[in-house]
């Protein structure tokens, strides 16, 4: 359909909905905290922000409508495919994705590893449901679209825009269960901010952004489990994972949120050595924050797991078949 003449020359953005609190609705009194995430469609989110119509033409797609605690490899695969589909259209300047806050950092980092960085991909979310009297989603969505359109953001890759702050996919993490400013980029800090209508970039996006991995085929995601070192933890869970013959797919990797600078206790370490000896890939991050130095570039445990998933899937894809 031909766009009305007033919008015909506006830049085009693809806005993909995946659910989350930004698409959530309260079941009763909108001033009370109870709500269900992932209810409204992406078109409804856009309609709530009339100012969007003055700056861009939106092409929308509902990729999923889930609470992001339930994010799955199937939704990730579909989302990455659709992002790449839209970005391949010459008229589309960027993709904006609406998402839940709970696993936002994992999805952002995943996309940064599989989507070519030629055009911006901007994720946004909200801490309050769309029906809240003081909903934060509409402003976040407007800010996300502004970042996506900004000429300075052309090579920004995958970022998250929340509460006027621009975070790199590599660094962003949810750090509060309730505060409206729920995200942090830790020691590295955010890469920029939206000041009024303007994007101010404070630093370059980390160089690792840039699609080094192929998207795993639909049913070819390996099993990588995530464990934590803590007082009294021993090697029992690792050993039972190693012994379990019924696990499908079988265990290929373990990521540990270690203590301090990425340490594990002696018993867990012995079990992890056994795992490695049996061909399981083992990576250790820290439950505290980024570990300086080393190969893992200060990644959190959840993001290290994302990278290991993609590394193992890529290794599997080069082998004719796995028999174990
Ligand atoms: N549970 C919600 C989700 O991640 C929380 C949110 O979006 O703030 O989908």
């Amino acid at each position: 359909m031909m766009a009305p003449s007033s919008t015909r020359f506006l830049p085009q953005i693809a806005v993909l909905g995946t659910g989350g609190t930004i698409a959530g609705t309260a079941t009763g009194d909108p001033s009370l905290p109870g709500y269900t995430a992932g209810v409204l469609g992406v078109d409804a989110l856009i309609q709530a922000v009339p100012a969007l119509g003055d700056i861009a033409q939106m092409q929308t797609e509902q990729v999923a409508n889930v609470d992001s605690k339930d994010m799955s490899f199937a939704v990730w695969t579909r989302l990455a495919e659709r992002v790449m589909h839209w970005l391949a259209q010459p008229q589309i300047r960027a993709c904006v994705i609406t998402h839940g806050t709970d696993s936002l950092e994992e999805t952002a980092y995943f996309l940064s590893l599989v989507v070519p960085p030629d055009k911006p991909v901007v994720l946004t979310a909200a801490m309050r449901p769309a029906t809240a009297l003081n909903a934060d989603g509409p402003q976040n969505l407007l800010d996300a679209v502004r970042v996506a359109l900004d000429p300075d953001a052309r090579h920004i890759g995958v970022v998250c825009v929340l509460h006027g702050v621009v975070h790199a996919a590599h660094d962003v993490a949810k750090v509060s269960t309730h505060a409206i400013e729920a995200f942090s980029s830790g020691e590295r800090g955010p890469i920029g901010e939206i000041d009024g209508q303007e994007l101010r970039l404070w630093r370059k996006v980390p160089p690792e952004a840039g699609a080094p991995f192929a998207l795993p085929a639909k049913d070819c995601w390996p099993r990588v489990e995530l464990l934590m070192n803590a007082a009294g933890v021993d090697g029992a869970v690792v050993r039972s994972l190693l012994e379990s013959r019924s696990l499908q797919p079988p265990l290929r990797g373990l990521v540990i949120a270690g203590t301090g600078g990425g340490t594990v206790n002696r018993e867990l370490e012995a079990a992890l050595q056994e795992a490695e000896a049996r061909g399981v890939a083992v990576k250790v991050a820290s439950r505290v924050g980024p570990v300086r130095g080393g190969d893992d570039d200060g990644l959190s445990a959840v993001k290290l797991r994302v990278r290991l998933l993609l590394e193992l899937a890529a290794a599997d894809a080069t082998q004719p078949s796995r028999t174990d």
Side-chain angles (χ1 to χ4, degrees), residues 13 15 31 33 42 113 116 124 172 187:
I13 298 269
V15 185
S31 63
V42 63
L113 295 181
T124 193
V172 67
E187 290 173 5

Side-chain angles (χ1 to χ4, degrees), residues 201-221:
L201 286 177
W202 300 325
R203 65 178 176 90
K204 286 213 159 78
V205 184
E208 57 278 352
F213 293 101
L215 185 60
K218 196 162 154 271
D219 296 317
C220 296
W221 287 79

Side-chain angles (χ1 to χ4, degrees), residues 19-22 35 37 66-69 99-103 126-127 174:
T21 294
I22 193 168
Y35 70 94
V66 295
D67 186 316
S68 78
K69 72 179 173 56
H99 199 284
T101 59
D102 288 344
S103 59
M127 289 298 283
K174 184 174 180 179

Side-chain angles (χ1 to χ4, degrees), residues 89-259:
Q89 316 294 314
Q91 75 281 13
I92 296 291
R93 281 265 286 270
C95 264
V96 168
I97 299 168
T98 57
H99 199 284
T101 59
D102 288 344
S103 59
L104 183 78
E105 66 215 62
E106 289 171 68
T107 299
Y109 185 59
F110 159 65
L111 291 174
S112 79
L113 295 181
V114 298
V115 174
D118 315 333
K119 294 179 182 177
V121 176
V122 183
L123 290 93
T124 193
M127 289 298 283
R128 297 182 185 131
T131 48
L133 298 176
N134 52 359
D136 51 331
Q139 183 69 52
N140 283 347
L141 182 54
L142 183 58
D143 287 345
V145 171
R146 283 200 175 118
V147 170
L149 289 174
D150 197 291
D152 287 347
R154 219 169 306 141
H155 303 294
I156 210 169
V158 180
V159 295
C160 298
V161 173
L162 300 133
H163 205 257
V165 178
V166 187
H167 300 272
H170 180 284
D171 304 321
V172 67
K174 184 174 180 179
V175 294
S176 172
T177 57
H178 58 277
I180 202 80
E181 290 184 65
F183 286 83
S184 164
S185 285
E187 290 173 5
R188 291 204 211 198
I191 58 171
E193 66 173 350
I194 298 278
D195 184 5
Q197 303 190 358
E198 268 189 34
L199 171 64
R200 283 186 215 288
L201 286 177
W202 300 325
R203 65 178 176 90
K204 286 213 159 78
V205 184
E208 57 278 352
F213 293 101
L215 185 60
K218 196 162 154 271
D219 296 317
C220 296
W221 287 79
R223 178 181 298 278
V224 177
E225 296 295 344
L226 186 56
L227 303 173
M228 190 181 271
N229 187 44
V233 165
D234 59 16
V237 171
V238 172
R239 291 203 177 88
S240 67
L241 285 169
L242 291 175
E243 294 315 321
S244 173
R245 307 222 171 274
S246 58
L247 272 186
Q248 267 323 316
L251 183 69
R252 297 290 319 285
L254 283 168
V255 173
I256 317 297
T259 30

